[in-house]
Amino acid sequence: MSAPAFDADLLIVGAGPAGVAAAVMAASLQLRTIVVEGERIGEKLHRIDSVANVPGNWSTGPELALALEQDLARIQAPGNCTVVRAHAVAVAGRDDGAELRLEDGALLRGRAAVVSTGVAELVPTDSSWVTAPDGFLPAPLWRVTPEDLGGRTYVLGGDRPLGTWLRAHPDAAQPLHVLCPPGDDYKTTEVAADERVRNVPVSHVTITPSSYGPPWTVQVKNRDGKETSYAVDTVLNNLGTKPAAIEGLVQDADGYCPPYLQHPRIFTAGDIRSGRYQRIVTSQGSGAEASLSLYYDLALTRP
């Protein structure tokens, strides 16, 4: 099906749930793919201790990441898929296809491209509702265990890893005081029934270190304007994520890259599409849809 001018029918950036689903679907349709990934297969899945809403015989992110790796190995064997270990830095749509530029300057050409680069972690300086010292990088919630927590623990933000952490550590008794801006309210409803969560609705938070380390001083401005200061032993990052867009993608006002804004030869899949639909299963579905879209487009233009 591929013309000699193309390196593959479909160029796929990112080998997470969306990218691997796109590659597997493409292989089933006899489309040749190149998957570009500079990290481990399913890199972000290795951070997820509990997977409770994904069908299949796995309960943790690393188990699912291994399954994705096996899927890619299976479709590479007959030559339908090639995995390139590199970082993609730019994508461009053309009348007859798409081009992908790698970090080393190499250029790949395909009939279309799927960009599934996902999201990157926010840090305090990314959030307008947090004031903190330069270089203040609290440990991410997903990385800590109950044994790491001591004294009064405050969590910056109510993003969904909070629920994942609680499910992964059902016996943890440490209360988590969650500093929750208005934009996170719809997320914290998912864990509202967990007695270990102490939700603290805020409009702004200022974090000040002592001269010798913990405890930190956390000054909270409630949504009614009242301010309260707390001495806090542990501060954890759960601010959420930002789109990991590459050059050439069209971003909306929130920085995400919805498919309808992109060039017809560029598809976006997975978490990079939207801040609301960041689930493994929705990522997989969007990746498969991207490959199907190319397949049907080719079918319509085939003589």
Side-chain angles (χ1 to χ4, degrees):
M1 184 176 291
S2 293
F6 296 106
D7 297 296
D9 295 307
L10 191 61
L11 308 174
I12 300 172
V13 188
V20 173
V24 170
M25 178 60 74
S28 75
L29 300 170
Q30 301 303 305
L31 297 174
R32 292 192 306 117
T33 64
I34 293 177
V35 178
V36 178
E37 175 58 77
E39 308 296 337
R40 289 181 294 181
I41 306 302
E43 173 64 34
K44 293 183 179 65
L45 292 174
H46 289 276
R47 309 173 184 178
I48 301 176
D49 293 327
S50 174
V51 177
N53 57 1
V54 182
N57 187 27
W58 38 69
S59 59
T60 70
E63 291 174 352
L64 179 53
L66 176 60
L68 296 185
E69 190 172 349
Q70 292 170 340
D71 283 335
L72 278 184
R74 171 171 56 83
I75 62 176
Q76 285 182 77
N80 290 325
C81 174
T82 301
V83 177
V84 174
R85 294 294 190 169
H87 289 96
V89 295
V91 65
R94 308 298 182 201
D95 289 341
D96 62 343
E99 294 178 348
L100 191 65
R101 179 159 49 88
L102 305 185
E103 194 173 38
D104 64 0
L107 196 67
L108 298 175
R109 297 197 71 236
R111 296 183 182 273
V114 176
V115 181
S116 56
T117 45
V119 291
E121 287 183 355
L122 290 170
V123 296
T125 53
D126 294 320
S127 299
S128 60
W129 62 276
V130 178
T131 299
D134 291 340
F136 175 64
L137 296 173
L141 173 65
W142 58 263
R143 191 182 292 167
V144 303
T145 66
E147 291 74 24
D148 296 324
L149 305 182
R152 193 177 182 92
T153 298
Y154 271 60
V155 178
L156 285 174
D159 202 46
R160 289 195 180 90
L162 174 62
T164 302
W165 192 91
L166 293 167
R167 289 190 298 272
H169 304 288
D171 297 326
Q174 177 76 25
L176 300 177
H177 297 80
V178 180
L179 301 168
C180 180
D184 286 356
D185 284 347
Y186 75 97
K187 302 174 185 178
T188 55
T189 57
E190 300 175 13
V191 296
D194 196 307
E195 295 181 353
R196 295 170 292 174
V197 174
R198 309 285 193 269
N199 199 44
V200 184
V202 303
S203 62
H204 195 84
V205 171
T206 301
I207 300 173
T208 306
S210 68
S211 58
Y212 54 87
W216 302 81
T217 298
V218 175
Q219 185 175 16
V220 173
K221 179 182 286 187
N222 295 331
R223 297 180 194 176
D224 61 4
K226 181 181 178 181
E227 296 188 4
T228 308
S229 292
Y230 302 95
V232 178
D233 298 286
T234 305
V235 180
L236 300 174
N237 183 11
N238 191 44
L239 291 168
T241 54
K242 56 186 175 183
I246 62 174
E247 181 183 334
L249 293 179
V250 182
Q251 297 174 268
D252 64 15
D254 295 321
Y256 287 93
C257 306
Y260 64 83
L261 291 181
Q262 310 310 316
H263 186 280
R265 294 286 181 163
I266 298 174
F267 304 97
T268 52
D271 291 353
I272 196 172
R273 298 169 303 150
S274 165
R276 290 215 164 201
Y277 300 104
Q278 296 188 6
R279 297 290 194 276
I280 293 170
V281 288
T282 57
S283 293
Q284 291 173 320
S286 65
E289 283 186 8
S291 294
L292 281 169
S293 295
L294 173 61
Y295 177 76
Y296 291 135
D297 287 346
L298 294 177
L300 290 173
T301 57
R302 194 177 297 127

